[in-house]
Amino acid sequence: MTQRTAIGRLLARLEPVRVLDGCCCIGGATEGYRRAFGANCHITGVDIEPQPDYRGDAFHQGDVIDFIRARGHEFHFIHVSPPCQGEGAPTKGTNAARNAAIGRTYPRLIGPTRAALLATGRPWVMENVAGSEVRKDLRLCGEMFGLGVLMHRYFELGGWTTVQPAHPRHRGRVRGWRHGRYFEGPYVAAYGKGGGKATVDEIRAAKGIDWSTDHLRLREALPPAYTQWIGRTFLATLTFAGEAAA
């Protein structure tokens, strides 16, 4: 029996589907999977830092790769968002020399995370930014879900596949200062502070996150709409696989 078939049977019997959200932060991804899988799931978050605002059912503070190696096989579906600070184009390009001069380094965890995920034999998702080493199986944008942030993110899928959804045209600019000029726009900049960037209330509204007021963690969190779409799409592949086997 494949893992996908096993999950489908659990859902049919209304037994809890165990989901792991690695590098969970406050649980933006967790909330999306909760909406997708419904009440019959149990979501565990893992993060290297304490997360008092975490949204899921259980939380483990520790190294996510070690956790996946030790316990990843206990879960039916795994999502991981490895730290992106060392993955984006600015860190690798325009800021590389400056970071080297001050001895600033960032962990590069995508390769080790992928290896740990593959060893579980479970279906999984790994998310990161443009310029990272994740395979670009999916690209999601806030405009796809009518959100007030753009926040393009890429997703590598393991053990299952789906098609790339259409990327709608952006309605305008991200609000804020650019090269000495201030722009208005339908989207807020949910990163950093100052320069017209989003406040706590604006990020909460733009991302659809209402359970935290931590500015830094709100900036880091995935909008739940992204993983709600991924979770529902994954469930649709289970339905298709079941119909094909019938």
Side-chain angles (χ1 to χ4, degrees):
M1 182 190 302
T2 67
Q3 288 301 320
R4 289 169 58 192
T5 303
I7 296 172
R9 291 187 177 181
L10 284 170
L11 289 168
R13 295 200 303 264
L14 300 181
E15 295 182 18
V17 174
R18 296 187 298 276
V19 179
L20 173 62
D21 182 3
C23 304
C24 61
C25 191
I26 58 175
T30 289
E31 175 62 16
Y33 288 120
R34 172 81 67 206
R35 296 174 187 175
F37 286 101
N40 56 321
C41 70
H42 184 281
I43 307 180
T44 298
V46 178
D47 203 286
I48 197 69
E49 297 182 354
Q51 299 292 342
D53 292 343
Y54 177 60
R55 187 65 160 175
D57 301 296
F59 176 78
H60 174 84
Q61 184 177 351
D63 183 273
V64 68
I65 296 176
D66 288 345
F67 189 91
I68 292 171
R69 287 171 177 163
R71 298 185 54 190
H73 63 281
E74 299 174 8
F75 296 87
H76 300 109
F77 188 88
I78 305 174
H79 174 106
V80 189
S81 296
C84 64
Q85 290 87 347
E87 300 296 337
T91 301
K92 295 177 179 179
T94 56
N95 295 338
R98 181 174 63 185
N99 289 336
I102 63 176
R104 177 185 291 160
T105 60
Y106 297 101
R108 303 294 299 279
L109 300 179
I110 289 176
T113 300
R114 181 186 292 115
L117 289 167
L118 287 168
T120 66
R122 283 0 188 201
W124 50 267
V125 174
M126 183 164 53
E127 172 268 329
N128 222 271
V129 297
S132 73
E133 296 174 0
V134 297
R135 192 174 60 244
K136 309 304 189 289
D137 296 329
L138 286 175
R139 181 194 192 208
L140 297 183
C141 163
E143 180 59 27
M144 295 176 176
F145 310 103
L147 300 180
V149 289
L150 291 179
M151 198 173 178
H152 295 100
R153 290 296 182 269
Y154 291 86
F155 300 82
E156 179 174 335
L157 311 181
W160 67 289
T161 60
T162 189
V163 298
Q164 169 65 43
H167 187 176
R169 184 173 180 174
H170 298 164
R171 290 171 285 129
R173 285 183 169 270
V174 176
R175 187 200 71 197
W177 288 93
R178 299 291 184 280
H179 307 293
R181 182 181 174 188
Y182 188 84
F183 295 93
E184 291 290 350
Y187 313 105
V188 298
Y191 52 87
K193 292 185 177 181
K197 294 183 176 63
T199 64
V200 164
D201 287 343
E202 287 174 331
I203 299 175
R204 282 163 55 96
K207 289 190 175 184
I209 295 175
D210 61 4
W211 63 89
S212 177
T213 57
D214 187 309
H215 192 266
L216 174 60
R217 286 171 169 76
L218 282 167
R219 282 155 35 196
E220 293 177 340
L222 272 179
Y226 287 24
T227 49
Q228 181 178 357
W229 184 91
I230 290 173
R232 287 179 173 174
T233 302
F234 174 71
L235 291 179
T237 70
L238 300 181
T239 301
F240 179 80
E243 291 174 348

